């Protein structure tokens, strides 16, 4: 096609670091984050650590992945129930389980681990505090190779099914009348 650049769309290839690297290795421009950034975003524990280092508040949770239910029990005790078990390399609601007590942790951990292996070929799990009543509001940013960066304002993704976004609304209804919070969230 004699294309100079490839835009991967959304999901699937846009979140695949190997694909982004293959595009660059072929001498084309990948319109999206560099492979290293895609890899960091794919690792929930690495992404959490990056956000903490940048001063972004995150819910209490593990800083590294967990491989055994015994370590998950210790982590859950430190975090406090309820906890959310998550696939460290996950996304799309796969490999997630809400756990309300130690009695249910082992079964939920093993189920999340099996799902993580099947979906992501990685069995690393981490835990974070489960926030039952919450809003999912995010700000998408765009940056170019010259260091210019803009945001596309906020969008709310609170309507979900099985931890997967169903509807995204912009501007976010949760921020109606909260111009100061909206402004703080959009600072670059």
């Amino acid at each position: 096609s004699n294309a100079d650049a490839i835009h991967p769309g959304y999901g699937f290839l846009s979140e695949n670091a190997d694909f982004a690297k293959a595009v660059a290795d072929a001498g084309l421009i990948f319109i999206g984050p560099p492979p290293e950034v895609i890899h960091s975003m794919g690792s929930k524990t690495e992404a959490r650590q990056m956000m903490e280092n940048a001063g972004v508040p995150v819910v209490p949770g593990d800083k590294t992945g967990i491989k055994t239910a015994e370590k998950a029990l210790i982590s859950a005790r430190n975090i406090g129930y309820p906890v959310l078990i998550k696939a460290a390399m996950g996304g799309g609601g796969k490999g997630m389980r809400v756990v309300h007590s130690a009695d249910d942790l082992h079964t939920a951990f093993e189920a999340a681990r099996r799902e993580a292996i099947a979906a992501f070929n990685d069995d690393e799990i981490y835990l974070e505090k489960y926030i039952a009543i919450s809003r999912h509001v995010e700000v998408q940013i765009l940056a170019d190779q010259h260091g210019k960066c803009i945001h596309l304002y906020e969008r709310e993704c609170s309507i979900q099914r099985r931890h997967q976004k169903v509807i995204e609304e912009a501007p976010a209804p949760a921020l109606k009348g909260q111009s100061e919070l909206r402004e703080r969230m959009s600072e670059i």
Side-chain angles (χ1 to χ4, degrees):
S1 71
N2 294 320
D4 295 322
I6 294 177
H7 186 285
Y10 63 91
F12 189 52
L13 292 176
S14 69
E15 298 173 4
N16 186 314
D18 292 335
F19 177 72
K21 185 176 181 326
V23 169
D25 289 348
L28 300 172
I29 297 169
F30 179 79
I31 301 173
E36 312 78 51
V37 173
I38 295 172
H39 176 75
S40 294
M41 290 185 311
S43 168
K44 303 297 185 230
T45 52
E46 191 174 331
R48 279 178 58 88
Q49 190 60 53
M50 288 173 67
M51 292 303 97
E52 281 186 36
N53 293 347
V56 175
V58 298
V59 298
D62 293 321
K63 295 189 184 304
T64 60
I66 296 173
K67 294 276 189 177
T68 68
E70 292 72 27
K71 288 190 178 179
L73 276 167
I74 295 167
S75 177
R77 199 172 317 135
N78 291 335
I79 295 168
Y81 290 95
V83 294
L84 185 60
I85 297 175
K86 297 176 87 171
M89 294 302 289
K94 303 273 190 219
M96 294 175 68
R97 300 287 187 284
V98 177
V99 179
H100 294 278
S101 72
D103 295 338
D104 300 326
L105 192 123
H106 190 275
T107 302
F109 179 86
E110 292 303 329
R113 193 170 161 267
R114 283 190 304 274
E115 194 172 312
I117 290 169
F120 311 111
N121 199 31
D122 189 297
D123 68 345
E124 193 170 52
I125 300 293
Y126 80 101
L127 278 69
E128 64 183 30
K129 183 71 176 168
Y130 176 66
I131 311 295
I133 300 172
S134 62
R135 303 302 287 232
H136 179 146
V137 177
E138 56 190 46
V139 176
Q140 191 168 27
I141 60 169
L142 298 176
D144 66 16
Q145 61 193 18
H146 306 291
K148 294 187 173 118
C149 191
I150 63 168
H151 65 80
L152 300 179
Y153 299 94
E154 86 287 342
R155 62 184 177 201
E156 183 166 351
C157 314
S158 298
I159 299 175
Q160 300 186 6
R161 181 173 186 261
R162 296 185 187 141
H163 309 291
Q164 179 64 45
K165 300 172 199 170
V166 175
I167 295 175
E168 296 183 6
E169 298 177 80
L175 298 185
K176 186 176 183 176
Q178 298 189 45
S179 57
E180 184 181 317
L181 177 58
R182 176 177 276 125
E183 207 171 292
R184 277 195 342 233
M185 288 181 66
S186 300
E187 285 178 3
I188 297 176

